[in-house]
Amino acid sequence: MALSGIQIFKLTPRTNCKECGFPTCMAFSMKVAAGAITIDKCPHISDEATQQLAEATAPPMKTIVIGKDAAERKIGGETVLFRHEKTLVSKTLFAVQFSDTMTDEVIESKMANIIKVDYDRIQEQMSVESIVVKYDGNKDKYLVLIEKLKSLGKIFILACTDVNIAKEAIALVKDTKPILVGANKDNIDDMIALAKENNVVLGLNGDTVEDIYALVETAEKAGHKELILNPGTTEMAKTFENTIEIRRTAIVGGDRTFGYPSIVFANELSNGNQFVETALASTYILKYGSIVVLDDINYPKALALFGLRQNIFTDPQKPMRVEPKVYEFNKPKEDSPVLITVDFALTYFVVSGEIERSKAPAWLLIPDAGGLSVLTSWAAGKFGGTVIKNMIKECGIEEKLTKKRLVLPGKVAVLKGDLEEELPGWEIIVGPEEAMQLPKFLNELV
Amino acid sequence: MCIERYTKKTTTDLKEVQTLAYKKVAKKYSGKIKEVTIGTGDKAITLGGRNVLPLHAFDGEVGQSPKVGLEIVDEVPSDWIDAFANLYGDVQKDAATWAKYVEETYAPDFICLRFEGADPNGSNRSVEECVETAKKVSESVSLPLVIAGSKNVEKDSEIFKAIAEALEGKNILLLSAQEENYKTVGAAGALAYKQKVAAESSVDINLAKQLNILMTQLGVQKEDVVMHVGCAAAGYGYEYVSSTMDRITLAALGQNDETLQMPIITPISFETWSVKESIATEEDEPNWGSIEERGIHMEVSTAAASIASGSDAVIVRHPKSLEAIKYYLNSIIG
Ligand code: B12
Ligand code: SF4
């Protein structure tokens, strides 16, 4: 929420001393409001006023940094409700939940899963970023568990509403910028004190938006503004409503009391059904979950959720493209096949991944296809016979070949006839529709 | 002294601006999604009817809960993973038996019968054969039917026309009419035989709007049109689908744009079961675990994301996806 010139004027001493280079404080204030000059150019402005201005012009939602070193991540900082309005900035993080009532076997297995599900998708490392450690009544086990989970190197989220236990737990991980999801109506003051003292992010639990709002006000009044809001763990409908209300109040209503990230326990809401959990987690990727807690992680879940997240958090203003040129795979030779695809980053990474996996030597040509997928660019007239022919003629690949074989994406099989005419001397081969069939296809080709 | 006084005053001024008491930012929209009914009798379903964003029951009239249909095919599918053969067995050999089995065992809101066998590059089943199958399926179930084609625009126009005629009175939904064939499909489907028609466009709000307008100009009532605004699997350009639906929803509700107030149907399964995550074998991807679970997660994730963006009906393939999405919908909007 930007301040008007008048509002800024009220922050100046209103003495018209001209030291800022402007004839009046009002003239100066108008310039500040327009963003042409910063308020510190007035030597008489009070620190308090400067800080107020900074707060008043800050984005509607705070950005909170959690975790340390390699585990460090940012959450929050959003400025819109829908990605097409501008972009969503902080991707949803995932967490897996542990508790002191779990058997060692379960704990070991979840730890192993977290380590196992860690892969690259289109130049983004995909893994669970954080772990929730929930206190369920067994203090000794709880503390031992936290100690044990340190080896994972993930962001700690301690779910514990007992202040005394939380104090001991925090002591174990306070250097890692953890989150303590522990405050509620009954313990808020003690929790704030604990969070402040250890400089940790405090999670606020409430069943209604009014409760959560009151908790935030209490925390802010006490000077603790590193917060994350938990909109509920028992009822799917109410939790969804609260999550929406909170974000909307901040972004549309401009009320910064709700300008904090959220943590949603999809695991606890989904009644033990992993597919329901995926439905909820997917919904909260779109609808304002800053951290989404899962019961466990495995590839079947991760492939879907991380893929969706990667899509939703791409910046709509920056289409993802790769450079049009000739790419080489597995040391191609003069008789290796020439594959062709488009310059849409997603397509490139899917296709290149499969050619690598095939271990077969191959050339991959990428013309300028407008940064669109195979069918989209074809439908838009940017990936047709002429474009492909020009690419081949201009890139100099022909001089390197003794055997000229061009493999088309299966989805544009219709181009075969055209290309046979346009490129005499070339054998035009229709490849499979899905890139995943490339390894088999390429190995049978040679 | 003077300076101090001013600063103090300023501080309180700003505080007043900042500490608003909690005020709900209610969203009231002037527009409303139209209601479209498919099927007949007790089992008929109605899509749309909301004047709030998807799932935002707390804002106003949430209308009809989104509907979930199961997909079946007119011939034994050749590219479905083995899990489906294990699930359905011989039932798949006859579409009518399959439909009945689905209705009795899984009770979806509707059945989507897809005529893959009509594909000229596949089994190329004749229009008569397709009509025969459609009739038998229709006789064996009481659930509403959505009829999908083979993705061959010309052939689909023919079978849609013939099936619309043969199933007159059943109030089926033809999925779908595209820019290239909307005249045939719209005229035969909606005008001549009073069926419902889905207008399919390619992930673009303007294209969706344009096709709706063309359909209306043809004489098709808005109440007979559903939109299919495109789909992609999660991770495969899905963000465009989601943003297109967001924009359509905001235009329909916020700007009261009548040309975009038709409910949306999204055939999730048509996309999610052909991507690598759902079909790579366990030998090829030993780390990835159960192929069946992968496919369900992909389908459930994409379906939930689509519902949250504005789909009033989704089509899924796996009964477990149906179950999960129904549970999710019941829990969120009852
Ligand atoms: C997202 C999207 C868009 C986005 C573009 C995003 C982008 N960067 O491409 C937007 C919204 C901009 C868009 C626009 C249009 N789109 Co569009 N779009 C899609 C959508 C939903 C997903 C595309 C995608 O990202 N796929 C994922 C990538 C990875 O797929 P891919 O590139 O095909 O790659 C796969 C395979 O082809 C294969 N492969 C790739 N390369 C190679 C190479 C070899 C050698 C081999 C063997 C295999 C192989 O591997 C990959 C994975 O298996 C599809 C529908 C769908 N579900 O596919 C429609 C779709 C492609 N669009 C379509 C159309 C018509 C259009 C428009 C022309 C609409 C219009 N009239 O304006 C415009 C054109 C754009 C323009 N004028 O600028 C149609 C195409 C119809 C057809 N069959 O020709 C589709 C199929 C939708 C539909 N059903 O109608 N679109
Ligand atoms: S320097 Fe400060 S007090 Fe002096 S005129 Fe400029 S704004 Fe006013």
Side-chain angles (χ1 to χ4, degrees):
Chain A
M1 221 197 319
L3 288 191
S4 68
I6 305 284
Q7 281 168 312
I8 294 168
F9 174 63
K10 289 181 182 172
L11 292 172
T12 66
R14 302 186 223 175
T15 53
N16 300 335
C17 79
K18 302 188 177 57
E19 280 173 48
C20 59
F22 291 90
T24 60
C25 294
M26 190 62 203
F28 171 79
S29 302
M30 297 313 267
K31 284 286 173 195
V32 176
I37 192 168
T38 52
I39 196 154
D40 57 330
K41 292 287 174 321
C42 164
H44 304 293
I45 206 90
S46 73
D47 287 350
E48 204 185 338
T50 314
Q51 203 202 327
Q52 292 235 336
L53 184 77
E55 274 176 27
T57 52
M61 192 181 172
K62 275 198 91 167
T63 300
I64 305 271
V65 180
I66 49 175
K68 262 275 160 66
D69 303 328
E72 184 182 303
R73 294 289 186 282
K74 284 189 178 121
I75 49 176
E78 302 298 345
T79 56
V80 292
L81 288 183
F82 300 95
R83 61 182 292 285
H84 71 263
E85 295 175 302
K86 190 156 187 246
T87 183
L88 302 174
V89 293
S90 302
K91 71 180 181 191
T92 305
L93 304 184
F94 287 103
V96 164
Q97 181 163 317
F98 293 83
S99 115
D100 54 65
T101 53
M102 286 172 186
T103 64
D104 287 347
E105 219 183 335
V106 171
I107 291 168
E108 296 290 343
S109 137
K110 288 194 193 205
M111 288 177 74
N113 285 345
I114 290 174
I115 294 167
K116 188 173 163 196
V117 181
D118 192 344
Y119 60 99
D120 177 272
R121 186 180 202 269
I122 318 176
Q123 291 189 312
E124 182 183 341
Q125 199 58 30
M126 301 294 187
S127 68
V128 153
E129 290 83 5
S130 51
I131 46 172
V132 169
V133 201
K134 186 160 181 265
Y135 175 63
D136 271 331
N138 187 334
K139 178 182 148 187
D140 294 339
K141 237 190 129 187
Y142 187 60
L143 299 176
V144 171
L145 178 59
I146 292 173
E147 216 34 85
K148 184 180 173 116
L149 292 172
K150 278 185 178 174
S151 68
L152 290 171
K154 302 288 180 186
I155 300 164
F156 269 100
I157 303 171
L158 303 177
C160 174
T161 49
D162 183 317
V163 183
N164 294 322
I165 310 281
K167 195 172 275 172
E168 289 188 48
I170 285 291
L172 300 176
V173 294
K174 69 173 182 190
D175 298 331
T176 67
K177 198 96 211 297
I179 301 176
L180 170 61
V181 183
N184 55 33
K185 276 193 290 204
D186 306 322
N187 66 13
I188 179 76
D189 295 331
D190 292 342
M191 280 292 178
I192 293 170
L194 180 61
K196 261 180 95 169
E197 185 184 325
N198 293 287
N199 185 28
V200 304
V201 177
L202 184 62
L204 309 178
N205 302 311
D207 289 330
T208 66
V209 271
E210 287 80 9
D211 283 355
I212 303 172
Y213 197 86
L215 292 175
V216 178
E217 285 188 317
T218 312
E220 287 187 335
K221 226 168 268 163
H224 195 61
K225 296 188 174 180
E226 297 270 277
L227 305 172
I228 182 167
L229 314 179
N230 172 11
T233 52
T234 47
E235 234 196 282
M236 254 197 236
K238 194 68 195 160
T239 305
F240 182 73
E241 174 179 347
N242 292 351
T243 312
I244 302 280
E245 298 269 14
I246 288 172
R247 183 66 63 91
R248 206 160 57 179
T249 303
I251 308 267
V252 182
D255 183 350
R256 289 206 194 83
T257 308
F258 266 165
Y260 291 97
S262 65
I263 178 166
V264 182
F265 289 81
N267 58 338
E268 298 194 354
L269 292 162
S270 57
N271 215 7
N273 181 323
Q274 58 159 337
F275 300 123
V276 173
E277 184 190 73
T278 287
L280 280 177
S282 304
T283 306
Y284 285 110
I285 288 173
L286 277 110
K287 298 292 171 199
Y288 324 136
S290 308
I291 299 178
V292 170
V293 186
L294 306 173
D295 171 55
D296 199 351
I297 192 68
N298 53 43
Y299 270 96
K301 246 189 232 189
L303 292 169
L305 293 178
F306 294 168
L308 179 66
R309 170 178 81 174
Q310 186 172 44
N311 273 178
I312 297 301
F313 288 89
T314 54
D315 185 342
Q317 293 152 338
K318 283 187 227 136
M320 302 193 299
R321 296 179 70 167
V322 293
E323 187 193 341
K325 65 171 195 183
V326 181
Y327 292 80
E328 301 182 6
F329 290 89
N330 312 316
K331 302 204 175 70
K333 295 188 291 284
E334 67 280 358
D335 60 348
S336 303
V338 178
L339 280 60
I340 189 147
T341 189
V342 291
D343 54 345
F344 180 35
L346 176 62
T347 306
Y348 170 77
F349 286 111
V350 173
V351 172
S352 62
E354 295 300 335
I355 304 178
E356 270 162 21
R357 199 164 65 92
S358 77
K359 302 206 166 62
W363 309 90
L364 179 64
L365 299 194
I366 302 202
D368 179 346
L372 301 168
S373 78
V374 170
L375 274 181
T376 312
S377 60
W378 176 75
K382 291 179 180 159
F383 186 60
T386 317
V387 172
I388 296 175
K389 183 189 131 192
N390 291 346
M391 171 79 191
I392 288 183
K393 293 294 172 197
E394 283 158 24
C395 72
I397 183 90
E398 285 187 308
E399 285 107 73
K400 294 184 190 152
L401 299 175
T402 51
K403 199 171 173 187
K404 296 176 191 165
R405 290 177 299 170
L406 181 67
V407 181
L408 294 178
K411 288 185 181 171
V412 287
V414 289
L415 293 175
K416 185 172 193 273
D418 261 14
L419 284 167
E420 278 168 345
E421 273 176 35
E422 301 246 17
L423 292 169
W426 281 81
E427 184 191 350
I428 311 293
I429 304 167
V430 174
E433 289 215 351
E434 301 295 336
M436 65 162 294
Q437 289 138 1
L438 267 171
K440 184 164 176 279
F441 174 85
L442 287 177
N443 287 308
E444 284 170 5
L445 194 69
V446 258
Chain B
M1 171 66 203
C2 192
I3 291 176
E4 221 186 295
R5 207 193 73 216
Y6 274 123
T7 320
K8 273 223 179 89
K9 181 161 187 298
T10 322
T11 312
T12 38
D13 275 2
L14 262 181
K15 276 272 153 58
E16 273 159 27
V17 180
Q18 280 174 1
T19 48
L20 311 151
Y22 176 67
K23 216 169 81 218
K24 184 178 157 152
V25 183
K27 258 312 205 187
K28 290 279 170 261
Y29 293 107
S30 49
K32 184 174 172 179
I33 308 298
K34 296 215 155 42
E35 292 203 332
V36 176
T37 299
I38 307 166
T40 55
D42 295 353
K43 297 272 174 69
I45 53 168
T46 301
L47 314 181
R50 68 187 150 83
N51 69 359
V52 295
L53 294 179
L55 305 174
H56 288 43
F58 43 90
D59 272 344
E61 258 178 85
V62 76
Q64 307 289 335
S65 175
K67 300 294 181 283
V68 192
L70 268 189
E71 176 191 1
I72 66 169
V73 189
D74 66 331
E75 58 180 8
V76 180
S78 55
D79 58 352
W80 288 22
I81 60 164
D82 294 345
F84 290 100
N86 299 338
L87 201 66
Y88 290 126
D90 282 348
V91 161
Q92 285 179 315
K93 288 189 179 143
D94 174 64
T97 317
W98 190 356
K100 193 167 159 54
Y101 180 80
V102 159
E103 171 167 313
E104 287 169 358
T105 321
Y106 305 117
D109 295 319
F110 62 93
I111 290 174
C112 172
L113 170 59
R114 183 171 173 179
F115 281 93
E116 197 153 277
D119 187 355
N121 298 320
S123 312
N124 198 17
R125 297 176 69 216
S126 69
V127 173
E128 294 71 38
E129 277 177 278
C130 295
V131 167
E132 205 48 42
T133 303
K135 272 188 176 153
K136 280 199 196 143
V137 167
S138 169
E139 277 155 21
S140 69
V141 295
S142 50
L143 285 173
L145 280 184
V146 171
I147 302 291
S150 65
K151 288 197 171 159
N152 179 296
V153 183
E154 289 102 60
K155 183 70 175 282
D156 287 352
S157 311
E158 292 175 41
I159 64 168
F160 286 157
K161 195 171 146 188
I163 291 173
E165 179 180 2
L167 299 191
E168 193 171 1
K170 294 285 183 183
N171 199 22
I172 59 172
L173 175 69
L174 299 172
L175 185 75
S176 54
Q178 290 164 259
E179 197 184 338
E180 297 86 350
N181 67 0
Y182 79 93
K183 281 191 184 141
T184 322
V185 181
L191 297 177
Y193 306 113
K194 305 262 171 291
Q195 313 285 15
K196 300 297 181 332
V197 176
E200 177 178 352
S201 50
S202 315
V203 271
D204 182 305
I205 181 171
N206 295 313
L207 293 178
K209 188 177 163 93
Q210 185 190 325
L211 189 55
N212 288 346
I213 294 173
L214 290 173
M215 293 278 277
T216 329
Q217 284 170 352
L218 195 66
V220 179
Q221 296 298 307
K222 291 202 187 79
E223 290 67 25
D224 293 338
V225 179
V226 170
M227 287 186 278
H228 165 13
V229 300
C231 183
Y236 288 86
Y238 182 79
E239 70 273 33
Y240 294 93
V241 176
S242 175
S243 287
T244 300
M245 287 204 251
D246 282 342
R247 296 180 61 191
I248 290 179
T249 305
L250 292 171
L253 301 179
Q255 292 152 32
N256 199 7
D257 185 341
E258 290 201 10
T259 62
L260 286 168
Q261 286 171 345
M262 293 74 171
I264 298 175
I265 184 166
T266 309
I268 303 295
S269 56
F270 296 9
E271 298 295 333
T272 64
W273 289 95
S274 56
V275 297
K276 182 173 184 181
E277 286 82 344
S278 308
I279 53 175
T281 61
E282 289 167 28
E283 294 87 75
D284 273 350
E285 292 292 347
N287 271 331
W288 281 10
S290 157
I291 181 170
E292 185 176 8
E293 282 190 22
R294 273 187 261 140
I296 302 172
H297 281 288
M298 280 300 285
E299 174 160 77
V300 164
S301 173
T302 312
S306 297
I307 288 170
S309 301
S311 292
D312 301 282
V314 290
I315 298 167
V316 297
R317 186 174 292 176
H318 203 291
K320 287 217 168 104
S321 310
L322 167 74
E323 184 191 295
I325 295 293
K326 286 306 274 181
Y327 181 89
Y328 153 92
L329 285 169
N330 285 338
S331 312
I332 294 188
I333 56 181

